[in-house]
Amino acid sequence: MKQFYRALGLGALVLLIQACTSQGPSFRKNPVDDLIKDMTEVPDFSIILYDMNFDEQSEQYQHQYRILKEPQGSDSILSETTGWLQVSPEYFNEQVDNMGMTIVSKTNGTVDKKVSPPGYNQYVGNEKYGQWRQQSDGSSFWEFYGKYAFLRSVLGFGYSPIYYGGWYDYRRNYYPYGRTYYGTTSSGRGNRFGTTGSHNSSRSTASTWNSKDQSFKNRVRSRVQRSASRSRTNRSGSRYRSGSSSRGRGFGGGK
């Protein structure tokens, strides 16, 4: 009889494994986590969502990232841009409004996954890289030191000023609460940062996403929302079935 119950328990375990592997979605590691792991020894870096796309032929959601990093023991900043990396529908949907933003930063060895305007978490407001300059009208803007002047271009600001008011608003009212700050344009119409923001649309180098027409963008947004929703539903159902199977196995294998 004990052998029978052991066999029954083993059978339930096999069914549980099959249910999790065949009915649940396959696990796809987030490429950003790989980038973070690859830079374990780098004390300071930023990962910016540089571009995004949906390849209709392969049906793949894709990201490109711009990485700024300061190697250990160096005060220079290196910039590199990745190739196209496949991401899950859930992650694409999570970041669909954040193109041009910093999605991960690391300062003094501490990783921060709060989404922020490019440079606002590390470089802007940091006296190591520059200083605030006051204008005749009383407003202040950020000026990078000559050694780091290239950051204006790399972060996508070009000749656009980085005003103290916007940065202070982010640091005081958004960052402490984990809220994403998109800012407003000087006219007060629309966002300054993010996928649809003026900062992103005015970038000097054309992006794949910006080159697509609005109908394509709408189709991708609608499609990825449905895909992400299905994946969440499948995971939820898999966890429910897994829990039920576990309880059944425990009852069958009791004393």
Side-chain angles (χ1 to χ4, degrees), residues 9-49:
L10 180 60
L13 177 60
V14 171
L15 290 175
L16 171 61
I17 294 173
Q18 289 177 340
C20 291
T21 56
S22 64
Q23 296 177 0
S26 58
F27 175 74
R28 183 181 300 157
K29 192 171 184 180
N30 181 347
V32 172
D33 290 333
D34 287 330
L35 294 174
I36 295 172
K37 183 178 179 180
D38 291 343
M39 294 187 287
T40 299
E41 302 302 321
V42 179
D44 298 273
F45 65 73
S46 292
I47 301 176
I48 297 171
L49 177 52

Side-chain angles (χ1 to χ4, degrees), residues 77-93:
I77 300 175
L78 306 179
S79 172
E80 61 185 58
T81 304
T82 70
W84 288 109
L85 301 174
Q86 183 181 358
V87 298
S88 68
E90 300 98 312
Y91 194 66
F92 191 94
N93 186 55

Side-chain angles (χ1 to χ4, degrees), residues 135-202:
Q135 301 184 111
S136 58
D137 63 0
S139 63
S140 297
F141 66 93
W142 182 253
E143 179 183 73
F144 284 106
Y145 297 137
K147 181 178 181 178
Y148 300 108
F150 76 98
L151 284 174
R152 291 193 59 83
S153 175
V154 171
L155 295 173
F157 289 99
Y159 296 105
S160 179
I162 306 171
Y163 288 112
Y164 177 81
W167 174 82
Y168 180 78
D169 184 26
Y170 163 70
R171 296 297 300 187
R172 179 182 176 85
N173 300 315
Y174 288 80
Y175 179 81
Y177 310 106
R179 299 165 56 200
T180 302
Y181 178 78
Y182 295 105
T184 56
T185 61
S186 57
S187 66
R189 299 177 181 178
N191 296 333
R192 183 182 184 190
F193 300 105
T195 303
T196 61
S198 59
H199 176 270
N200 181 53
S201 60
S202 62

Side-chain angles (χ1 to χ4, degrees), residues 195-219:
T195 303
T196 61
S198 59
H199 176 270
N200 181 53
S201 60
S202 62
R203 57 190 283 181
S204 58
T205 304
S207 72
T208 297
W209 184 258
N210 285 346
S211 69
K212 304 293 185 180
D213 58 42
Q214 193 58 47
S215 62
F216 172 86
K217 297 175 183 177
N218 291 340
R219 288 199 309 273

